[in-house]
Amino acid sequence: MRFAWVLLLVLGACAVVSAEKQADATFLKRQLQVLNLLRHLNQPLTDPELTAFKDSFSPLNNLNKFKDPAAVRDFVELVTTGKLLERDAIFSLFNPRHRAQMVALFKVLHGAVDYDTFFKSAVWSRDLTNPRQFLYAFSVAVLHREDCRGVILPPAYEVTPHMFLTTDVVRKAYQAKMTRTPMVIPMRFTGSVNNPEQRVAYFGEDVGMNSHHSHWHMDFPFWWRSEEFGEQKDRQGELFFYMHHQMVARFDAERLSNNLPVVEPLEWDQKIVEGFAPGATYENGQEFPMRPDNMNFGDLPWLTIQDMKIVEGRIRDAIASGFVKTTDAGLISLNNTAGIDLLGGLVESSARSVNPMFYGQLHNDGHVMLSKVTDPQQRYGMPPGVMEHFETATRDPAFFRLHKHVDNLFKMHKDQLPPYAASELEFPEVTIEAVKVIGTCKASTPNQLITYFDESHIDLKNAVHAEDQKQEVDIKAVVSRLNHEPFKYVITINAKKPVRGIVRVFLTPKFNWFGQQMPLDVSRWGFIELDHFPVSLQHGDNVVTRSSADSAVTIPEPRGFSQLMGDVQKSIRGEQVFTYDKYYRHCGFPHRLLLPKGKPEGMTYKLYVVVTDYDKDIVTAGMKPEEIESLPSLGYCGVMDGKIPDGKPMGFPFDRRVVSEEQFLTPNMKVVDLTIKNVKQKPIE
Ligand SMILES: *[C@@H]1O[C@H](CO)[C@@H](O)[C@H](O)[C@H]1NC(C)=O
Ligand SMILES: [Cu+2]
């Protein structure tokens, strides 16, 4: 459970309020139906209950059960006129036609006035629509419907395994299926030792991280119009900046752990030095294109490199001048803490962009340019590359290069803001006296943490067609993944009077690739946020203990499809209890990846801890600290509705320039060295 607990202090400490509830029969039934709906998504429904819904329900006969009957008619028209994307075509969210159809379906699903209508509409549309187009619309609807809170979507890598697995694994899965032999198939990372980039492939190809990234983009769709769909999406533009900024910082830390220099930003008129061979095949049999080394960007029929440079020039102008031009000839200042949110919307760009005609959609188009780089003029009918899907993009090292390019625009903006004044940094009542990090493994010594690689199984049942879904054999892929020992922070804080604070914890490599220590003003941009949490302090010394598992940026390992199905079925039979959490989030960095790998001989990092004033930072006055605590993955994924409780800019106080390191580090901050050691085997606890 998530809690910060303060020794020496019983009253006023943040207690845990678990948001978990025992599932009733209705919830269990719904959860089961959702799983059945997504099984063998590429094949028509066979489940008798769902097939009966499909045969008996028609949205046109239930128009009074939709908020927007016209939306239902529009989608039905797409179906009846045969305009929908073919089922075996490759759905791309970046393709305007594919997206418009998906939104048309989303409006039907999201606008159903009750759960029953929603679910039956989903069943009705499932076999009419392209499977991944359906999956995306359905998932976003589940994530945004009040009556679906707590419903768990099975991991994307088990619903659409082709998007995550290499071709050889899928082929072996088919062999296993044909011969009805249960099988565990090892999956290797792409590339070979001749390619230094392969040393960090375990990070870019981690299925949990790809899942986090794709869920972020479902929680914060760039096409979301809050006027139409409700939900304001508090600080969506800033989250776009910060979540991707953290992915890049995390990737760089991983590279340094593997003796690779930090990633270079892409430039539109320079070659893309590293190639990438995904070694994967779409469900329809088309191979994901591979990109040889040293390719140049090419003009697409509808978008040139020159267009990209012009749009980026306008964004740079806006940042440098401190003003953004609006469509009605107005100007909005960027010179404030809200500037980053505006800029995030502009750069992505999302439907929140204040002027998409003028500032374009730099980031989205960057994805498309990279996706189509091997066949820019579309002469050879190549399918989209991995960069065109949020669930596959991070496999390609170019993803991080594109995002470093984008991140540098945000840095340019942040560097223009005035550095924080002492009054904004200090918390005069509070002094951090000591910080210690303690691992739970037997071999651990204080301030030394251990990482290792372990194995994870991916259920492949959905990767192969099944004639008879009842007689399935167990087929799994086994992948190697980074993990770390559990640890806790022990922070001694002195308070001059009883106060509430927010503890913010950041990690950064101590040395750069050249082995030099970096000034804080340089290193700060690579800080990885490990956690932030509220704490109640009493007068005098307080020893605050916090478990790594409670991190505000990570989520625990999700349950696999089979396990989830088994748990639900057993609970329906009354053999076990199923609990659910209405705040459950699919978005969140996998907890396993909280720490960078480090080195076998140990690698030195710096841990920065900052305590700020809770009563100044929190903007959700009605919310208690323990309620804030029960919101998972706040740090990178914000909240699904309402306001993000912490009003400080994301990454505070390291998001702005540091003029003098000595003056910057006020007594409410503390830095300690920390070693991360990568060992061959999971250490004994
Ligand atoms: C930005 O605003 C600050 C006050 O918050 C001011 O001191 C500074 O001069 C402004 N910068 C520009 C470029 O206007
Ligand atoms: Cu992204």
PDB file of all heavy atoms in Angstrom, residues 291-306:
ATOM      1  N   ARG A 291      15.076   0.343 -41.328  1.00  0.00           N
ATOM      2  CA  ARG A 291      15.753   1.555 -41.798  1.00  0.00           C
ATOM      3  C   ARG A 291      17.255   1.329 -41.749  1.00  0.00           C
ATOM      4  O   ARG A 291      17.804   1.080 -40.681  1.00  0.00           O
ATOM      5  CB  ARG A 291      15.385   2.738 -40.887  1.00  0.00           C
ATOM      6  CG  ARG A 291      16.005   4.061 -41.330  1.00  0.00           C
ATOM      7  CD  ARG A 291      15.725   5.198 -40.333  1.00  0.00           C
ATOM      8  NE  ARG A 291      16.364   4.939 -39.053  1.00  0.00           N
ATOM      9  CZ  ARG A 291      15.716   4.742 -37.929  1.00  0.00           C
ATOM     10  NH1 ARG A 291      14.409   4.808 -37.884  1.00  0.00           N
ATOM     11  NH2 ARG A 291      16.377   4.488 -36.813  1.00  0.00           N
ATOM     12  N   PRO A 292      17.925   1.386 -42.913  1.00  0.00           N
ATOM     13  CA  PRO A 292      19.386   1.247 -42.879  1.00  0.00           C
ATOM     14  C   PRO A 292      20.045   2.437 -42.180  1.00  0.00           C
ATOM     15  O   PRO A 292      19.388   3.459 -41.961  1.00  0.00           O
ATOM     16  CB  PRO A 292      19.768   1.215 -44.365  1.00  0.00           C
ATOM     17  CG  PRO A 292      18.504   1.195 -45.143  1.00  0.00           C
ATOM     18  CD  PRO A 292      17.409   1.646 -44.253  1.00  0.00           C
ATOM     19  N   ASP A 293      21.326   2.309 -41.857  1.00  0.00           N
ATOM     20  CA  ASP A 293      22.066   3.419 -41.244  1.00  0.00           C
ATOM     21  C   ASP A 293      22.106   4.625 -42.186  1.00  0.00           C
ATOM     22  O   ASP A 293      22.035   4.475 -43.407  1.00  0.00           O
ATOM     23  CB  ASP A 293      23.520   2.998 -40.974  1.00  0.00           C
ATOM     24  CG  ASP A 293      23.604   1.984 -39.840  1.00  0.00           C
ATOM     25  OD1 ASP A 293      22.621   1.845 -39.095  1.00  0.00           O
ATOM     26  OD2 ASP A 293      24.666   1.334 -39.714  1.00  0.00           O
ATOM     27  N   ASN A 294      22.287   5.792 -41.590  1.00  0.00           N
ATOM     28  CA  ASN A 294      22.582   7.024 -42.335  1.00  0.00           C
ATOM     29  C   ASN A 294      21.542   7.435 -43.372  1.00  0.00           C
ATOM     30  O   ASN A 294      21.880   7.984 -44.415  1.00  0.00           O
ATOM     31  CB  ASN A 294      23.953   6.902 -43.039  1.00  0.00           C
ATOM     32  CG  ASN A 294      25.055   6.684 -42.033  1.00  0.00           C
ATOM     33  OD1 ASN A 294      25.088   7.372 -41.008  1.00  0.00           O
ATOM     34  ND2 ASN A 294      25.922   5.725 -42.284  1.00  0.00           N
ATOM     35  N   MET A 295      20.285   7.154 -43.102  1.00  0.00           N
ATOM     36  CA  MET A 295      19.237   7.628 -44.018  1.00  0.00           C
ATOM     37  C   MET A 295      18.968   9.106 -43.778  1.00  0.00           C
ATOM     38  O   MET A 295      19.116   9.586 -42.671  1.00  0.00           O
ATOM     39  CB  MET A 295      17.931   6.860 -43.775  1.00  0.00           C
ATOM     40  CG  MET A 295      17.994   5.441 -44.188  1.00  0.00           C
ATOM     41  SD  MET A 295      16.891   4.923 -45.500  1.00  0.00           S
ATOM     42  CE  MET A 295      16.160   6.286 -46.234  1.00  0.00           C
ATOM     43  N   ASN A 296      18.522   9.774 -44.836  1.00  0.00           N
ATOM     44  CA  ASN A 296      18.068  11.155 -44.684  1.00  0.00           C
ATOM     45  C   ASN A 296      16.549  11.189 -44.682  1.00  0.00           C
ATOM     46  O   ASN A 296      15.903  10.320 -45.271  1.00  0.00           O
ATOM     47  CB  ASN A 296      18.578  12.012 -45.833  1.00  0.00           C
ATOM     48  CG  ASN A 296      20.051  12.324 -45.688  1.00  0.00           C
ATOM     49  OD1 ASN A 296      20.467  12.928 -44.692  1.00  0.00           O
ATOM     50  ND2 ASN A 296      20.842  11.883 -46.640  1.00  0.00           N
ATOM     51  N   PHE A 297      15.993  12.197 -44.040  1.00  0.00           N
ATOM     52  CA  PHE A 297      14.550  12.402 -44.132  1.00  0.00           C
ATOM     53  C   PHE A 297      14.210  12.709 -45.582  1.00  0.00           C
ATOM     54  O   PHE A 297      15.018  13.302 -46.304  1.00  0.00           O
ATOM     55  CB  PHE A 297      14.112  13.591 -43.270  1.00  0.00           C
ATOM     56  CG  PHE A 297      14.037  13.269 -41.809  1.00  0.00           C
ATOM     57  CD1 PHE A 297      15.009  13.712 -40.923  1.00  0.00           C
ATOM     58  CD2 PHE A 297      12.975  12.529 -41.312  1.00  0.00           C
ATOM     59  CE1 PHE A 297      14.933  13.414 -39.574  1.00  0.00           C
ATOM     60  CE2 PHE A 297      12.891  12.222 -39.968  1.00  0.00           C
ATOM     61  CZ  PHE A 297      13.868  12.667 -39.099  1.00  0.00           C
ATOM     62  N   GLY A 298      13.022  12.293 -46.019  1.00  0.00           N
ATOM     63  CA  GLY A 298      12.592  12.611 -47.373  1.00  0.00           C
ATOM     64  C   GLY A 298      11.248  13.324 -47.332  1.00  0.00           C
ATOM     65  O   GLY A 298      10.491  13.176 -46.371  1.00  0.00           O
ATOM     66  N   ASP A 299      10.967  14.095 -48.378  1.00  0.00           N
ATOM     67  CA  ASP A 299       9.669  14.766 -48.455  1.00  0.00           C
ATOM     68  C   ASP A 299       8.564  13.741 -48.637  1.00  0.00           C
ATOM     69  O   ASP A 299       8.691  12.829 -49.456  1.00  0.00           O
ATOM     70  CB  ASP A 299       9.640  15.723 -49.655  1.00  0.00           C
ATOM     71  CG  ASP A 299      10.572  16.908 -49.451  1.00  0.00           C
ATOM     72  OD1 ASP A 299      10.992  17.148 -48.295  1.00  0.00           O
ATOM     73  OD2 ASP A 299      10.878  17.592 -50.450  1.00  0.00           O
ATOM     74  N   LEU A 300       7.500  13.902 -47.911  1.00  0.00           N
ATOM     75  CA  LEU A 300       6.315  13.081 -48.129  1.00  0.00           C
ATOM     76  C   LEU A 300       5.429  13.836 -49.126  1.00  0.00           C
ATOM     77  O   LEU A 300       5.570  15.055 -49.268  1.00  0.00           O
ATOM     78  CB  LEU A 300       5.556  12.855 -46.818  1.00  0.00           C
ATOM     79  CG  LEU A 300       6.369  12.337 -45.626  1.00  0.00           C
ATOM     80  CD1 LEU A 300       5.464  12.188 -44.404  1.00  0.00           C
ATOM     81  CD2 LEU A 300       7.041  11.017 -45.951  1.00  0.00           C
ATOM     82  N   PRO A 301       4.504  13.137 -49.790  1.00  0.00           N
ATOM     83  CA  PRO A 301       3.675  13.852 -50.772  1.00  0.00           C
ATOM     84  C   PRO A 301       2.922  15.026 -50.142  1.00  0.00           C
ATOM     85  O   PRO A 301       2.640  16.014 -50.817  1.00  0.00           O
ATOM     86  CB  PRO A 301       2.700  12.779 -51.249  1.00  0.00           C
ATOM     87  CG  PRO A 301       3.400  11.476 -51.004  1.00  0.00           C
ATOM     88  CD  PRO A 301       4.254  11.694 -49.790  1.00  0.00           C
ATOM     89  N   TRP A 302       2.595  14.943 -48.868  1.00  0.00           N
ATOM     90  CA  TRP A 302       1.794  15.992 -48.236  1.00  0.00           C
ATOM     91  C   TRP A 302       2.566  16.830 -47.212  1.00  0.00           C
ATOM     92  O   TRP A 302       2.006  17.687 -46.563  1.00  0.00           O
ATOM     93  CB  TRP A 302       0.563  15.362 -47.562  1.00  0.00           C
ATOM     94  CG  TRP A 302       0.923  14.377 -46.478  1.00  0.00           C
ATOM     95  CD1 TRP A 302       1.095  14.671 -45.165  1.00  0.00           C
ATOM     96  CD2 TRP A 302       1.185  12.987 -46.620  1.00  0.00           C
ATOM     97  NE1 TRP A 302       1.444  13.541 -44.470  1.00  0.00           N
ATOM     98  CE2 TRP A 302       1.502  12.486 -45.343  1.00  0.00           C
ATOM     99  CE3 TRP A 302       1.181  12.100 -47.702  1.00  0.00           C
ATOM    100  CZ2 TRP A 302       1.817  11.140 -45.111  1.00  0.00           C
ATOM    101  CZ3 TRP A 302       1.496  10.759 -47.463  1.00  0.00           C
ATOM    102  CH2 TRP A 302       1.806  10.290 -46.193  1.00  0.00           C
ATOM    103  N   LEU A 303       3.874  16.564 -47.091  1.00  0.00           N
ATOM    104  CA  LEU A 303       4.641  17.242 -46.031  1.00  0.00           C
ATOM    105  C   LEU A 303       6.124  17.192 -46.377  1.00  0.00           C
ATOM    106  O   LEU A 303       6.677  16.104 -46.553  1.00  0.00           O
ATOM    107  CB  LEU A 303       4.393  16.503 -44.709  1.00  0.00           C
ATOM    108  CG  LEU A 303       5.132  16.985 -43.474  1.00  0.00           C
ATOM    109  CD1 LEU A 303       4.512  18.279 -42.957  1.00  0.00           C
ATOM    110  CD2 LEU A 303       5.061  15.923 -42.370  1.00  0.00           C
ATOM    111  N   THR A 304       6.730  18.384 -46.495  1.00  0.00           N
ATOM    112  CA  THR A 304       8.148  18.388 -46.871  1.00  0.00           C
ATOM    113  C   THR A 304       9.033  18.686 -45.664  1.00  0.00           C
ATOM    114  O   THR A 304       8.556  19.163 -44.633  1.00  0.00           O
ATOM    115  CB  THR A 304       8.421  19.461 -47.946  1.00  0.00           C
ATOM    116  OG1 THR A 304       8.173  20.752 -47.349  1.00  0.00           O
ATOM    117  CG2 THR A 304       7.526  19.284 -49.170  1.00  0.00           C
ATOM    118  N   ILE A 305      10.327  18.421 -45.843  1.00  0.00           N
ATOM    119  CA  ILE A 305      11.296  18.738 -44.793  1.00  0.00           C
ATOM    120  C   ILE A 305      11.289  20.252 -44.553  1.00  0.00           C
ATOM    121  O   ILE A 305      11.387  20.720 -43.424  1.00  0.00           O
ATOM    122  CB  ILE A 305      12.704  18.263 -45.217  1.00  0.00           C
ATOM    123  CG1 ILE A 305      12.676  16.744 -45.422  1.00  0.00           C
ATOM    124  CG2 ILE A 305      13.741  18.633 -44.189  1.00  0.00           C
ATOM    125  CD1 ILE A 305      13.882  16.209 -46.150  1.00  0.00           C
ATOM    126  N   GLN A 306      11.132  20.984 -45.663  1.00  0.00           N
ATOM    127  CA  GLN A 306      11.062  22.444 -45.553  1.00  0.00           C
ATOM    128  C   GLN A 306       9.874  22.868 -44.670  1.00  0.00           C
ATOM    129  O   GLN A 306       9.995  23.763 -43.847  1.00  0.00           O
ATOM    130  CB  GLN A 306      10.945  23.035 -46.977  1.00  0.00           C
ATOM    131  CG  GLN A 306      11.094  24.532 -47.061  1.00  0.00           C
ATOM    132  CD  GLN A 306      12.461  25.025 -46.574  1.00  0.00           C
ATOM    133  OE1 GLN A 306      13.409  24.260 -46.438  1.00  0.00           O
ATOM    134  NE2 GLN A 306      12.541  26.316 -46.282  1.00  0.00           N
TER     135      GLN A 306
END
